[in-house]
C-alpha cells in the first residue's frame, strides 16, 4: 500500500535540490562563517547568497533579513524584541485569537511581564475584521501581530488593510507568515508590514531554520546574546547548511510558485467537491476561497479526530487533526472554538494539507477511504443519534 503524506502544513520533505545544495556545507565547506580564513569566507559568502535568495522571494533588501533557529524563534524575537524596545512608549499589544502557539504563548508570557494583550475575535470563516482592529488600538498600543494564514483552517487574512490601520495610528505591524511564504505570493512591500516571520521546513527546506524580516529603520532588542552574528541581533554560530537550505528553498519557491499553487488548488478543489458528494454531516472549516491552496480542513459530526487519524494512518494516509502541536490533547482547538464551532463538532476535526508530491490518484483513493472510516467510527460512536 502506498503511503500518502497529506500533512504539509506540519512540515514538508526537503526538496532534493535543497539537500544537494546543503550537503557540501556539512563536509568539505564546513567553515565557521565568522572566521576570517578562506573556510570562513566561503561559508560567509554562502550565507549572504542565501540572504539574497530569501530577500528576493519576499521582495526586500537582503539587509532586512535576520536568520533565526525557527519560525517560533522569529515570532518570539519580533514580539519580545519590539515589546522590550518600545516599553517606555506603551504596554499594549494586539493579536488575533487564532494565532499559532508561537505567537499566542509569547503574548501570554508578555502579559506576565506587565503588557496588556488584546486578542481580536474572528468570524465564522476565521477572518479578523479591520473594524475590530480600529476599535482595539489605543494610545498605549506598540505592536499589532496578526498571522498571514492560519495553520489549521488555512484562512488568509487581509494583512494589507490591517497593517494600514495600524500605521495610521503609528503602530508597528508584524505578521506570522510561516504558512504562506513559499505557498502563495508574499511581498512585504505590497503587504506593508514592518516585521514578518518565515520558516524553511514549511516550503521544502530543512527544519530548525527560519528568518525574521525587519523593515529598515525598525529597532529591536535582541533575544539571544553572545557573539556578533546577524549584525549583533542574533548571537550563535551561524547554521550554514540550514541557511543555505533555506536560501535554495526560497529560490525554488520563487521559480515554482505558480505551478505549485495551481497543482495544490486543483487537488484541493477535487477533494472538496468529492467530499460534498460522498460525506454526510460535516462542515468545511475556514474561508471557502480566501484559503491556502493546499488546505482542506473539515469537522466531522459524532466522531473524534484522533480516531479518524489512526484509521486513516492504517490505510496509508498521514493527515492531522487541528495542528500537530494540539493533536494528542483532548482539548478542542482554540482556532475552531474562536470561529464559533461547537466544541463537540470541533473534536471531529481533520486537516488535509496537500503538497507537490501528491497526485489526483492520492486524492481519489482518499475519497474512497474516508467515508468508510467515518462510517465505521460512527457505528461505534455514543454521540450518534439512533433511529
Ligand atoms: N507559525 C505558524 C503559523 C506555524 O504553522 C508554525 C509551525 O507549525 C510556526 C509558527 C512555528 O514554526 P517552526 O516550526 O519553524 O518553529
Amino acid at each position: 500500500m502506498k503511503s500518502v503524506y497529506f500533512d504539509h502544513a506540519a512540515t514538508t520533505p526537503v526538496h532534493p535540490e535543497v539537500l544537494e545544495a546543503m550537503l557540501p556545507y556539512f563536509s568539505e565547506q564546513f567553515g565557521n562563517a565568522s572566521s576570517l580564513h578562506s573556510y570562513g569566507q566561503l561559508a560567509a559568502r554562502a550565507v549572504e547568497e542565501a540572504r539574497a535568495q530569501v530577500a528576493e522571494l519576499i521582495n526586500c533588501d537582503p539587509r532586512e533579513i535576520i536568520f533565526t533557529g525557527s519560525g517560533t524563534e522569529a515570532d518570539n524575537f519580533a514580539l519580545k524584541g519590539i515589546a522590550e524596545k518600545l516599553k517606555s512608549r506603551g504596554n499594549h499589544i494586539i493579536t488575533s485569537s487564532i494565532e499559532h502557539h508561537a505567537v499566542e504563548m509569547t503574548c501570554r508570557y508578555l502579559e506576565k511581564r506587565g503588557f496588556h494583550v488584546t486578542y481580536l475575535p474572528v468570524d465564522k470563516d476565521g477572518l479578523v475584521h479591520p473594524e475590530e482592529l480600529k476599535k482595539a488600538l489605543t494610545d498605549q498600543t506598540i505592536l499589532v501581530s496578526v498571522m498571514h494564514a492560519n495553520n489549521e483552517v488555512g484562512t488568509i487574512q487581509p494583512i494589507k488593510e490591517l497593517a494600514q490601520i495600524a500605521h495610521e495610528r503609528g503602530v508597528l505591524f508584524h505578521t506570522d507568515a510561516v504558512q504562506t511564504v513559499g505557498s502563495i505570493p508574499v511581498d512585504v512591500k505590497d503587504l506593508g508590514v514592518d516585521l514578518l516571520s518565515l520558516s524553511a521546513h514549511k516550503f521544502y527546506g530543512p527544519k530548525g531554520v527560519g528568518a525574521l524580516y525587519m523593515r529598515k529603520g525598525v529597532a529591536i532588542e535582541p533575544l539571544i546574546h553572545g557573539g556578533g552574528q546577524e549584525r549583533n541581533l542574533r548571537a550563535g554560530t551561524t547554521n550554514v547548511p540550514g541557511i543555505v537550505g533555506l536560501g535554495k528553498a526560497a529560490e525554488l519557491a520563487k521559480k515554482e510558485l505558480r505551478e505549485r499553487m495551481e497543482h495544490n488548488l486543483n487537488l484541493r478543489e477535487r477533494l472538496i467537491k468529492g467530499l460534498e458528494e460522498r460525506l454526510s454531516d460535516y462542515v468545511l472549516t475556514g474561508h471557502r476561497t480566501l484559503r491556502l491552496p493546499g488546505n482542506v480542513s473539515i469537522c466531522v459530526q459524532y466522531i473524534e479526530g484522533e480516531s479518524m487519524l489512526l484509521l486513516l494512518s492504517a490505510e496509508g494516509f498521514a493527515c492531522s487533526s487541528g495542528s500537530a502541536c494540539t493533536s494528542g490533547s483532548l482539548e478542542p482547538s482554540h482556532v475552531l472554538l474562536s470561529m464559533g464551532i461547537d466544541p463537540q463538532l470541533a473534536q471531529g476535526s481533520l486537516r488535509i494539507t496537500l503538497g507537490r508530491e501528491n497526485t489526483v490518484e492520492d486524492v481519489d483513493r482518499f475519497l474512497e477511504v474516508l467515508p468508510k472510516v467515518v462510517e465505521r467510527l460512527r457505528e461505534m460512536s455514543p454521540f450518534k443519534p439512533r433511529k
Side-chain angles (χ1 to χ4, degrees):
M1 183 177 49
K2 184 188 169 197
S3 276
V4 176
Y5 186 76
F6 272 167
D7 201 10
H8 293 80
T11 196
T12 57
V14 170
H15 193 296
E17 287 185 45
V18 169
L19 181 62
E20 197 188 337
M22 290 172 71
L23 284 175
Y25 296 93
F26 287 107
S27 49
E28 66 268 25
Q29 292 167 26
F30 62 87
N32 183 325
S34 303
S35 301
L36 292 180
H37 47 61
S38 61
Y39 291 84
Q41 282 175 19
L42 212 88
R45 232 177 286 137
V47 168
E48 291 321 306
E49 191 187 331
R51 206 184 300 280
Q53 287 164 319
V54 175
E56 173 85 17
L57 178 63
I58 63 168
N59 190 27
C60 69
D61 189 294
R63 285 168 298 187
E64 296 173 311
I65 297 291
I66 305 157
F67 290 119
T68 63
S70 61
T72 299
E73 186 192 319
D75 285 338
N76 270 261
F77 187 17
L79 273 82
K80 293 177 188 166
I82 293 296
E84 180 66 24
K85 192 79 190 175
L86 299 184
K87 65 182 177 201
S88 60
R89 247 178 52 194
N91 68 346
H92 181 226
I93 293 168
I94 301 174
T95 188
S96 84
S97 53
I98 58 161
E99 296 296 310
H100 186 273
H101 283 162
V103 166
E104 190 202 340
M105 294 305 162
T106 306
C107 286
R108 302 272 177 223
Y109 166 83
L110 288 169
E111 282 177 310
K112 283 193 237 148
R113 313 281 301 175
F115 290 88
H116 293 291
V117 181
T118 301
Y119 300 86
L120 297 175
V122 294
D123 67 13
K124 64 175 194 353
D125 296 325
L127 278 173
V128 171
H129 283 253
E131 285 307 316
E132 296 289 344
L133 176 57
K134 274 187 200 160
K135 275 194 287 180
L137 284 157
T138 74
D139 293 342
Q140 285 295 307
T141 313
I142 50 171
L143 179 68
V144 177
S145 178
V146 176
M147 71 198 317
H148 193 187
N150 182 265
N151 45 299
E152 292 184 37
V153 296
T155 299
I156 301 169
Q157 301 295 342
I159 294 300
K160 194 171 171 167
E161 208 177 332
L162 297 172
Q164 209 172 342
I165 291 167
H167 289 161
E168 278 161 14
R169 297 286 297 263
V171 175
L172 291 175
F173 194 95
H174 165 254
T175 189
D176 173 346
V178 167
Q179 287 291 336
T180 53
V181 172
S183 292
I184 59 171
V186 175
D187 177 328
V188 290
K189 296 216 172 68
D190 180 52
L191 291 174
V193 296
D194 303 294
L195 302 118
L196 174 145
S197 306
L198 61 93
S199 177
H201 76 104
K202 305 292 184 179
F203 58 105
Y204 309 101
K207 293 166 188 56
V209 57
L212 180 67
Y213 155 79
M214 195 169 73
R215 182 178 55 74
K216 190 167 173 282
V218 174
I220 197 163
E221 274 302 314
L223 200 62
I224 300 174
H225 301 92
Q229 293 90 354
E230 297 299 289
R231 290 181 293 117
N232 287 315
L233 288 173
R234 201 278 185 178
T237 299
T238 311
N239 173 8
V240 181
I243 289 169
V244 166
L246 168 57
K248 188 69 188 177
E251 183 196 286
L252 291 169
K254 171 112 189 143
K255 200 163 74 186
E256 297 173 2
L257 198 63
R258 292 281 152 202
E259 197 185 310
R260 285 186 197 174
M261 283 174 66
E262 207 173 304
H263 171 81
N264 282 350
L265 205 60
N266 280 339
L267 295 183
R268 182 187 88 184
E269 290 306 303
R270 190 178 183 93
L271 185 47
I272 291 178
K273 275 210 188 72
L275 290 174
E276 280 167 8
E277 285 158 17
R278 287 156 194 250
L279 198 64
S280 62
D281 296 321
Y282 76 98
V283 289
L284 180 76
T285 50
H287 196 281
R288 179 65 185 85
T289 52
L290 295 173
R291 74 189 295 134
L292 289 169
N295 177 295
V296 178
S297 47
I298 58 174
C299 281
V300 185
Q301 269 296 10
Y302 315 126
I303 53 181
E304 278 184 353
E306 275 75 13
S307 4
M308 253 187 303
L309 289 191
L310 292 177
L311 292 194
L312 285 170
S313 175
E315 297 284 347
F317 291 101
C319 308
S320 148
S321 177
S323 74
C325 321
T326 50
S327 52
S329 86
L330 283 174
E331 283 289 297
S333 127
H334 70 288
V335 174
L336 298 174
L337 297 183
S338 298
M339 288 163 57
I341 292 177
D342 176 78
Q344 199 208 312
L345 181 59
Q347 295 279 7
S349 80
L350 181 68
R351 180 185 74 177
I352 302 115
T353 44
L354 306 152
R356 55 192 286 278
E357 69 290 355
N358 294 144
T359 63
V360 166
E361 290 71 36
D362 296 339
V363 167
D364 289 349
R365 189 162 76 81
F366 184 78
L367 286 167
E368 293 288 320
V369 167
L370 181 68
K372 289 185 195 148
V373 162
V374 167
E375 201 179 319
R376 241 179 91 190
L377 290 169
R378 278 189 183 149
E379 275 164 20
M380 299 184 277
S381 167
F383 303 116
K384 174 145 195 228
R386 310 279 162 203
K387 288 190 188 117

